[in-house]
Amino acid sequence: MLKIAVLVSGGGTNLQAVIDAIDNGTITNAEITAVISNNKNAFALERARNSGINAISISPKDFENRDLFNDALIKTVGESGADLIILAGFLVVLPKKMTENYENRIINIHPSLIPSFCGKGFYGLKVHEEVLKRGVKVTGATCHFVDSGTDTGPIILQKAVDVYEGDTPEVLQRRVMEQAEWIILPKAVNLIANGKIHVEDGRVITVA
Ligand code: GRF
């Protein structure tokens, strides 16, 4: 059984998609052992509690400096016993030690088709604002492994979503979530939980 820690900062709709997929059997061989947030008011923590999952908040504000916070975060994740870490809207840059310790065992969901509209500063509504500004007709979401760069790790799954005339960033964000993020994140978790993928030369290979 794959043990998962989900790291969140906000609403937690992607967390919910994973919880639901485990409940309804779309994801097998996996359980969430902890939901960890840097923001004690994150609704995602409420979602975890509602599902009887250990919900932990750990804020940088409670530590004298970043290093101490990073150490505490690493310790908390370690104590969850997680084999896999999911970044589901986690707005904290991970300590280098963590990306090294968990090589190809941390995944992120990003709301664009990487390598477009990603990297430093591309998070939240900003991504969709830039998509609309550029006038691309297709956007989407990407689930990828996390390395020490920003949105640079091996790509696991992607799904395209149409952009329509008159879209606002908020409308597009919702469509990308519904049609892509909430689908490919659980799918990727299920592939990992069942040993269906591995990384070779920086690329994800799917085993039949
Ligand atoms: C999503 O758009 C995800 O792609 C990004 O952060 C947002 C999190 O939303 N990484 P939620 O907290 O899962 O609702």
Side-chain angles (χ1 to χ4, degrees):
M1 186 76 101
L2 185 82
K3 289 185 178 161
I4 303 171
V6 187
L7 274 50
V8 293
S9 298
T13 61
N14 281 284
L15 164 69
Q16 191 67 54
V18 175
I19 292 174
D20 293 347
I22 291 175
D23 284 350
N24 69 27
T26 305
I27 297 174
T28 55
N29 294 323
E31 61 172 340
I32 300 174
T33 55
V35 170
I36 301 166
S37 180
N38 60 312
N39 168 13
K40 67 175 187 321
N41 297 318
F43 185 63
L45 290 173
E46 194 65 34
R47 292 180 190 272
R49 284 185 215 108
N50 288 342
S51 293
I53 300 166
N54 190 15
I56 304 163
S57 85
I58 166 172
S59 167
K61 291 182 204 136
D62 297 332
F63 295 87
E64 240 169 69
N65 59 52
R66 201 67 189 184
D67 285 346
L68 291 174
F69 166 73
N70 285 344
D71 289 346
L73 179 65
I74 290 169
K75 187 163 175 269
T76 306
V77 170
E79 284 167 357
S80 74
D83 311 303
L84 177 73
I85 300 168
I86 302 178
L87 307 184
F90 189 55
L91 299 175
V92 170
V93 176
L94 290 189
K96 196 160 180 271
K97 200 172 146 195
M98 197 157 151
T99 51
E100 284 169 1
N101 288 356
Y102 289 87
E103 197 188 6
N104 296 331
R105 292 195 295 144
I106 308 175
I107 64 173
N108 181 47
I109 180 78
H110 181 79
S112 78
L113 294 174
I114 290 176
S116 289
F117 306 104
C118 65
K120 251 200 160 125
F122 281 91
Y123 63 89
L125 275 181
K126 176 81 180 162
V127 176
H128 306 290
E129 280 164 14
E130 292 300 318
V131 162
L132 293 176
K133 220 187 266 173
R134 184 62 185 84
V136 295
K137 306 305 179 203
V138 174
T139 183
T142 303
C143 184
H144 63 94
F145 284 112
V146 173
D147 61 13
S148 57
T150 308
D151 303 326
T152 51
I155 291 171
I156 305 168
L157 291 172
Q158 295 187 298
K159 193 164 186 295
V161 173
D162 287 331
V163 180
Y164 298 131
E165 223 144 280
D167 272 350
T168 62
E170 290 80 4
V171 165
L172 185 57
Q173 179 181 51
R174 182 75 193 180
R175 189 180 311 123
V176 168
M177 283 179 155
E178 283 176 358
Q179 296 185 6
E181 295 181 39
W182 301 342
I183 297 165
I184 64 173
L185 179 60
K187 250 191 194 169
V189 173
N190 189 52
L191 288 172
I192 294 167
N194 290 286
K196 297 280 190 203
I197 55 176
H198 64 271
V199 179
E200 230 175 84
D201 297 330
R203 282 180 301 156
V204 171
I205 311 288
T206 307
V207 187

